Every structure is written in C-alpha cells, then in structure tokens.
Amino acid sequence: MYSFSTRVRYSEVDASLQLSYPAIINYFQDCSIFHSEDLGIGIDYLQQEHRVWLMNSWQIQILRFPSYGEEITVNTWPYEFKSMFGYRNFTMTDNCGTPLVIANSIWVFTDTATGRPIRPDPVYASRYPLEPPYPMEYAPRKIDLPAKGTALSPIPVTLSHLDSNRHVNNGQYVAMAATLLSDKDYNHLRVEYKKSAQLGDIIYPRISHTEAMCTIVLASEDGTPYAIAEFKK
C-alpha cells in the first residue's frame, strides 16, 4: 500500500466546509501519481516511452465527508492487471485509521503515439506489488445512459481544464458535474470516461434526476459522451 498524509485545506472544501467531490478525486489521483513516481515509472518515464495510464472509471463511496482542517491519510494499491486494464483501490482515512472514503478505479494503458489501448509491457506491472481488493461491493464498469435529460448551458474547454496529456483531466469532468447538483446528499459517485475532450471543444451537459440518483452526461454537440457521472444517495 502506498500512502501520504495531509490536512484538508480551505481551498478544497465547499460551502459546508466539507471536502468537495472534485477534491476527493484529486487526492486519489495525486496518490496514484505519487506512487508511480516513487516507483520510477511516473509521468516523465511514461512520456519517454509514449505510454500513459488513462482513467476509465471511478466508483467512490463516501462514508463521511472529511472536514476543513481534518488530518487525513490517502492510501492506494493495485490489485489486478488484465489485458490493457489496471485495477486500483483507494481509501481515505482519518487520524485514527477509520475509513472516510473508499474507491475502486479502472485505468487503461494507452500508446500515446497511436491513441490505442495496449497491453502493458511486463516491466510496468512487475513494478507494482499487488494486494487483495478492498472488501466493497463492486459496481459495473459501464454506466447506463438515461433515456431523457435536461440540456444545460454548454461549457467551453479552456486551458485550466487540461492536464499534461493535453486533454481534460478526469477530475475536471467531476468538477463540471458537481456544479450542476442542487445538493450534496449523494454519497456514491460513479464516473465512466468515454472520450477525451481537448482545448477548444464545447461540452454539452445533460442532467437526469430520479428520487435517489442524478446522472449527468457531458457530451459533444452530436451527443457523444465524453464522460458520464452518476451521483447516488
């Protein structure tokens, strides 16, 4: 298991002084990147090899939202490599080790020269010691598209949305979706990433509600999804 400890900053909380959805994603993403960097197969190494791990899906369960100023530890470990996919768990715990947030993630190993998923060379998988998967209920990788939805104002992709891969970072889609929620009563979040948005693209959100769930599709003008976020109570 790889871990780092920190304290929840004011810049990471919402109006309720609780850690925001995008901040949770960012902590988990940072933890996985730190893990790879410390193993010597981080961003620079992958760029030299024209390889990248791209996020395919998140499944996050919030047991309790961390609060402003709270000391937390973020933990991650891979538990399986299968074909072009890598599977990684995350937990966020308080200073007593009690889980606050638990998560599953699926990543796709990709050749940046061709843009195609490929099976990782043995060197990549061999650097990561595998541990047993976290004992949680695992949801399907894919999210069902709602039949209907309400179209909302388009979102232009700007430089602030991009990461070092020059496309919209996976956490930015969650940030876009979170701004469209009317409340923060959701403690389950799933996200499926379908297509990479780039600088100059326009993202067209569509929102669908049920009593216990809100699904937000972030799509191109023709309706092709970039990402689907499902918030559930």
Side-chain angles (χ1 to χ4, degrees):
M1 179 186 294
Y2 182 88
S3 303
F4 79 93
S5 297
T6 186
R7 190 178 181 190
V8 176
R9 300 162 179 80
Y10 184 75
S11 59
E12 299 166 335
V13 299
D14 55 22
S16 66
L17 292 180
Q18 294 178 327
L19 198 63
S20 68
Y21 295 114
I24 291 171
I25 294 279
N26 289 338
Y27 267 126
F28 286 161
Q29 179 176 231
D30 288 343
C31 191
S32 67
I33 292 173
F34 291 160
H35 188 194
S36 295
E37 292 291 347
D38 287 0
L39 291 173
I41 47 177
I43 292 173
D44 287 345
Y45 180 87
L46 290 172
Q47 286 181 341
Q48 292 170 8
E49 299 294 318
H50 305 289
R51 301 288 188 266
V52 68
W53 285 102
L54 295 180
M55 177 60 67
N56 177 266
S57 66
W58 280 109
Q59 178 194 353
I60 297 173
Q61 182 178 353
I62 301 162
L63 307 175
R64 176 175 70 80
F65 283 96
S67 300
Y68 163 65
E70 185 170 3
E71 294 180 355
I72 58 172
T73 298
V74 187
N75 313 284
T76 188
W77 64 94
Y79 63 87
E80 185 179 12
F81 293 98
K82 187 175 181 181
S83 185
M84 74 281 290
F85 293 105
Y87 300 80
R88 179 182 283 272
N89 282 134
F90 295 84
T91 61
M92 187 178 292
T93 58
D94 64 14
N95 57 7
C96 295
T98 303
L100 303 173
V101 186
I102 60 177
N104 183 49
S105 63
I106 303 176
W107 305 69
V108 180
F109 199 64
T110 303
D111 183 330
T112 58
T114 65
R116 295 182 177 278
I118 59 171
R119 186 185 298 270
D121 298 331
V123 64
Y124 297 103
S126 65
R127 296 276 189 99
Y128 294 103
L130 299 183
E131 299 187 38
Y134 191 85
M136 61 185 290
E137 184 177 345
Y138 286 82
R141 178 169 61 91
K142 292 185 175 294
I143 300 174
D144 293 333
L145 277 171
K148 297 180 180 179
T150 302
L152 301 175
S153 299
I155 303 170
V157 174
T158 66
L159 281 172
S160 64
H161 295 120
L162 306 185
D163 59 22
S164 59
N165 299 309
R166 307 304 295 175
H167 61 224
V168 174
N169 182 262
N170 74 88
Q172 291 289 339
Y173 292 105
V174 175
M176 293 176 193
T179 62
L180 305 175
L181 297 174
S182 58
D183 58 55
K184 198 183 175 184
D185 292 337
Y186 304 99
N187 55 12
H188 291 80
L189 169 61
R190 293 172 61 207
V191 190
E192 182 188 357
Y193 300 93
K194 308 280 282 185
K195 174 184 173 184
S196 296
Q198 300 177 345
L199 184 64
D201 287 338
I202 307 294
I203 294 177
Y204 294 83
R206 190 171 72 250
I207 189 167
S208 176
H209 289 279
T210 66
E211 185 176 344
M213 187 168 67
C214 177
T215 304
I216 297 169
V217 180
L218 301 168
S220 59
E221 187 174 11
D222 66 3
T224 303
Y226 291 112
I228 310 166
E230 179 187 272
F231 297 84
K232 200 171 182 181
K233 298 181 180 181

